[in-house]
Amino acid sequence: MTNEEAFLRIDFLSQELNKHNYQYYVLDQPSISDYDFDMLMNELILLEKAYPQYCHSDSPSQRVGGEVIKKFEQVRHKYPMLSLGNTYSESDIKDFYQRIMQSAIETENEIEYVCELKFDGAAISLWYENGLLTRALTRGDGIQGDDVTHNIKTIPSVPLKLRGNYPKSFEIRGEVVMPHKSFEMLNAQKLEEGSTPFANPRNAASGSLKLLDSKEVARRKLDCILYAFYSDDLPFNTHSEFLHAAAEWGFKISPHYEVYSSLEGIYSFIHKWDSARKNLPYDTDGAVIKVNDFQLQKMLGFTAKNPRWAVAYKYKAERVLTQLVSVDFQVGRTGAVTPVANLIPVPLGGTTVKRATLHNADVMQNLDLHHYDFVYLEKGGEIIPKIVGVEHSKRLIGAPAVEFIANCPECNTPLIRMEGEAAWYCPNSDHCPPQIKGKLEHFISRKAMNIDSLGEGKIEMLFDNQMIRSVADLYQLTYDQLIGLEKVISVDSEDRKISFREKTVANILDALEKSKSVPFERVLFALGIRFVGETVAKKIARSLKNIDEIKRATVEKLLTIDDVGFQIATSVVDYFSNPDHLEVVEKLIQAGLRFEVEESATVNDVLAGKSFVVSGKFTIPRDELKSMVELNGGKNVSAISAKTDYVIAGESMGPEKFKKAQSLQIPIISEEDFFQMIQKK
């Protein structure tokens, strides 16, 4: 390929990929398959490496991330990023409306107001010069913010290059949000890795922007919705004109805005979205009312903290008052200690709440919680109950403050707090009872060893009878040990006895024997190494091939593996530096578990580039079917989207999934169709 040919091809690929990004992430109208998009992107990346002089500043290859910085540069905002004044009552909205009318009494035209949704995310400022994204800043303190351009470029809905007739230089502001689906996937991954999940999508979005590794930001599937325009030379007369034009330039603008000239219209918008917002794919916590006319905005001006021409109406979360009974401290599988409040039961949001997490020591301290306090409850994100305040007027005289414990409530080991983390941990990971039970339960779970004849209750019985203390002990269990094992439990105020009968014991021993054929990557995941989730375990196993290579691996060696960062690499090295862990692994090897990758782990690539959703019941276990997808080069995805290539449907497939696949015209194939597909090669 000549230099000229390379230049033309890179230019063509950049334009095509930017177009497809816009159609998929902004218009929600994909016009190309996931596979074809990836092929174009791979070609562009290879060409840019071979001909770096022709790499565009707006190249879509920047979407995948990869840039790692040491710290964020602080940059001063050209226009201060002031926050809006908040109100929770309609009477305040009326006061705002009347103030505008009085201030603009000489205005001849009817005053219009734009009503928009208030997005619950992280505020962002984007600068464009000659149609190219040049800088992205967080709000910071309103005067200066962090330069997070390298992270913002990974968000597909943020245009790197504009289209149409746009101003030469301007600032546009909006909100970086984490959609509910991305939030659920991120927290599921964090739980797999043994780390603390985010409390809500807003914290997740804000925390993601502060990551130094843009590649990790790209994986978090953020979105960005824009809503404000700043320039020394305004090319519009009204805010609504700007919203229309910005959408044509390629920005993602929320379609859920209305223009009203009456107080009744504003109220109707607020009332409509109080319930309708719950059906949106991202969090909103209110409505924003702005004067539409830019000249009138300029005339009204600003206070020291807020614009006079806009106000935010915050929707009230349902709040109830109840009394604190006690505080328990729970130890999780990773050793993190979580305080949990026991409450007098109270109805909230359609359920009866009697327990609420207090998250960590900092939250407890900020609440200034005392024993037997009356506390206010809300549902965080309208899902999880949380204590949001204390009614000090009801505090009992002399009631002592609730103190966070200094020692583990289970094994009495002094707790530690790791740098940069809010949680306190019990470091006695191999001898603290709840941590041991947590590791055992993780080991037998479906995505790990899939020993379905055991479960949380049976594991607890075995542990309490001192029959197991590590995962290796499971494979030493015998029929004589298990038969007749009993436990008394209380059900509906009645004591009931459960015992291991002959069939139960046979099923347990059979399941343990079958688990010896579980592939190495799942065995590695089952060990419960901190921060090593299902995907990372698979990549480490397939890269290093066997347990001996992993034992010998240095941090530097592990860092060469895709998706393995410093935190994961350090955790793996630490795990295999512990003699107790090495002893457990050796016992598992002797028991016959697989500790090396089978050659058949890469059967062929007949499904390369294709993504599959597996739904329903089949003649073989669903996980086995998913493994066959991967063994033949395909990719498993959890949810149906326009990028899904096939849905493998079994008995009792969910009707909603079936409808969605049909609406997106995604091929729905049977188990037999799939087998024929992989036998073609």
Side-chain angles (χ1 to χ4, degrees), residues 218-338:
R219 295 191 193 103
R220 295 197 173 184
K221 310 292 184 186
L222 297 170
D223 203 351
C224 184
I225 304 169
L226 286 306
Y227 50 67
F229 180 86
Y230 290 82
S231 172
D232 292 336
D233 184 21
L234 293 173
F236 319 103
N237 294 319
T238 65
H239 179 66
S240 56
E241 289 174 1
F242 147 69
L243 292 174
H244 179 75
E248 293 185 338
W249 300 339
F251 292 108
K252 186 166 188 175
I253 304 295
S254 171
H256 307 302
Y257 69 89
E258 301 287 347
V259 180
Y260 298 102
S261 56
S262 68
L263 185 60
E264 290 71 23
I266 295 172
Y267 285 160
S268 69
F269 183 89
I270 289 172
H271 297 159
K272 170 187 173 182
W273 285 103
D274 192 6
S275 57
R277 65 194 177 93
K278 296 171 184 176
N279 298 320
L280 295 172
Y282 38 76
D283 281 353
T284 59
D285 60 353
V288 176
I289 299 94
K290 300 176 183 175
V291 169
N292 195 21
D293 187 274
F294 279 151
Q295 287 302 315
L296 184 52
Q297 285 187 13
K298 190 174 181 180
M299 186 195 82
L300 292 167
F302 300 82
T303 68
K305 295 182 179 180
N306 316 113
R308 290 192 175 95
W309 43 264
V311 68
Y313 177 88
K314 299 290 286 289
Y315 291 116
K316 292 180 181 177
E318 185 182 355
R319 176 181 289 197
V320 295
L321 185 69
T322 188
Q323 190 174 16
L324 176 71
V325 176
S326 62
V327 174
D328 294 335
F329 293 88
Q330 298 179 343
V331 184
R333 175 172 70 87
T334 64
V337 177
T338 303

Side-chain angles (χ1 to χ4, degrees), residues 74-77 80-83 138-146:
Q74 290 272 308
V75 178
R76 192 176 184 86
H77 293 294
M81 285 189 77
L82 303 180
S83 57
T138 62
R139 182 194 300 276
D141 61 3
I143 304 301
Q144 62 181 12
D146 291 332

Side-chain angles (χ1 to χ4, degrees), residues 660-679:
K660 188 167 185 179
Q662 281 191 320
S663 68
L664 295 173
Q665 297 183 329
I666 296 168
I668 301 174
I669 62 175
S670 67
E671 186 178 354
E672 291 73 20
D673 295 333
F674 173 73
F675 290 147
Q676 290 178 13
M677 187 183 291
I678 63 177
Q679 288 167 5

Side-chain angles (χ1 to χ4, degrees), residues 410-659:
E410 299 287 343
C411 66
N412 204 37
T413 302
L415 302 180
I416 61 171
R417 196 174 198 175
M418 300 179 184
E419 187 176 353
E421 294 196 29
W424 284 87
Y425 289 87
C426 170
N428 188 21
S429 59
D430 295 319
H431 304 286
C432 180
Q435 294 189 64
I436 298 172
K437 283 189 275 191
K439 289 179 174 65
L440 288 163
E441 288 159 9
H442 170 74
F443 185 83
I444 66 169
S445 64
R446 184 175 59 83
K447 290 186 177 181
M449 302 304 291
N450 193 27
I451 306 173
D452 56 3
S453 293
L454 282 170
E456 184 177 336
K458 293 188 178 77
I459 286 292
E460 190 165 355
M461 285 177 68
L462 295 171
F463 184 86
D464 291 345
N465 282 275
Q466 300 185 352
M467 296 170 68
I468 53 173
R469 281 294 178 268
S470 77
V471 296
D473 294 335
L474 290 169
Y475 295 92
Q476 306 301 316
L477 295 172
T478 65
Y479 180 90
D480 290 339
Q481 284 179 299
L482 296 174
I483 194 70
L485 192 65
E486 293 181 341
K487 181 178 182 179
V488 177
I489 60 172
S490 180
V491 179
D492 298 330
S493 301
E494 291 184 10
D495 287 342
R496 294 186 185 178
K497 185 183 291 184
I498 58 173
S499 60
F500 283 11
R501 302 187 186 280
E502 189 171 332
K503 186 176 180 180
T504 302
V505 173
N507 288 340
I508 291 172
L509 295 175
D510 183 53
L512 285 166
E513 190 62 32
K514 285 181 178 177
S515 73
K516 295 177 182 179
S517 62
V518 166
F520 174 40
E521 55 263 30
R522 281 173 53 192
V523 177
L524 185 62
F525 169 60
L527 292 178
I529 303 170
R530 196 167 185 222
F531 305 123
V532 177
E534 185 183 6
T535 301
V536 169
K538 190 177 297 182
K539 293 189 175 182
I540 292 175
R542 292 184 180 178
S543 175
L544 298 182
K545 306 299 184 187
N546 60 63
I547 194 66
D548 290 332
E549 287 299 315
I550 295 175
K551 286 181 191 176
R552 289 193 289 264
T554 61
V555 169
E556 292 73 21
K557 174 72 173 177
L558 290 163
L559 287 172
T560 64
I561 301 171
D562 188 30
D563 284 351
V564 175
F566 182 77
Q567 188 180 49
I568 294 173
T570 304
S571 180
V572 172
V573 170
D574 288 346
Y575 182 89
F576 288 106
S577 299
N578 187 317
D580 290 340
H581 297 161
L582 294 176
E583 182 181 349
V584 168
V585 169
E586 185 57 36
K587 287 181 178 178
L588 292 175
I589 292 172
Q590 293 173 7
L593 276 67
R594 294 186 177 182
F595 277 94
E596 63 180 359
V597 174
E598 300 284 317
E599 288 300 322
S600 60
T602 51
V603 175
N604 60 55
D605 58 357
V606 68
L607 304 180
K610 303 297 182 185
S611 60
F612 293 78
V613 168
V614 180
S615 179
K617 297 178 181 178
F618 303 90
T619 61
I620 61 175
R622 193 186 305 180
D623 283 345
E624 194 171 324
L625 199 60
K626 288 183 176 182
S627 295
M628 294 174 75
V629 169
E630 293 183 354
L631 290 172
N632 287 276
K635 177 184 177 183
N636 289 298
V637 292
S638 58
I640 296 172
S641 71
K643 290 189 174 185
T644 306
D645 291 297
Y646 294 96
V647 174
I648 307 175
E651 283 184 43
S652 305
M653 176 185 176
E656 291 304 316
K657 283 189 176 180
F658 186 82
K659 286 180 187 176

